[in-house]
Amino acid sequence: MLKIEWKDSESMERPAEVDETSSAYVVYMRKDIAEVAVPATDNAPATVKYVYKEAVLTKADYALYALAKQVAAEMLAAAQGA
């Protein structure tokens, strides 16, 4: 079974929730993205950063994850329609 390990991360630019293009080998998944104000200092003006949870999956593992997510959504929709 695929286990997704989420780690705390941050960036000065808002990240995509799913990034399949920046690496030829892995897919970056992000959740709980929040904008955080960074106060000015003597050396830098006030700005914002983004904090979030990030997981890194191989392209093959991400394909399995995406398929499982799609199947689960279809099963839920069928169950709700019944």
Side-chain angles (χ1 to χ4, degrees):
M1 173 178 252
L2 176 65
K3 182 177 181 196
I4 299 176
E5 294 186 30
W6 297 97
K7 297 184 179 184
D8 292 332
S9 192
E10 63 182 55
S11 174
M12 297 307 286
E13 296 179 17
R14 182 174 179 81
E17 289 185 10
V18 176
D19 177 359
E20 298 180 66
T21 60
S22 65
S23 171
Y25 307 103
V26 298
V27 175
Y28 297 93
M29 297 189 332
R30 300 168 184 114
K31 66 179 185 177
D32 303 333
I33 300 169
E35 185 177 290
V36 176
V38 178
T41 65
D42 291 340
N43 300 325
T47 187
V48 297
K49 69 179 179 180
Y50 297 89
V51 295
Y52 48 90
K53 301 287 187 184
E54 181 174 62
V56 181
L57 299 172
T58 65
K59 297 248 181 185
D61 283 346
Y62 180 73
L64 290 173
Y65 167 81
L67 178 60
K69 190 174 176 182
Q70 178 184 355
V71 169
E74 290 172 1
M75 290 176 67
L76 181 61
Q80 290 176 342

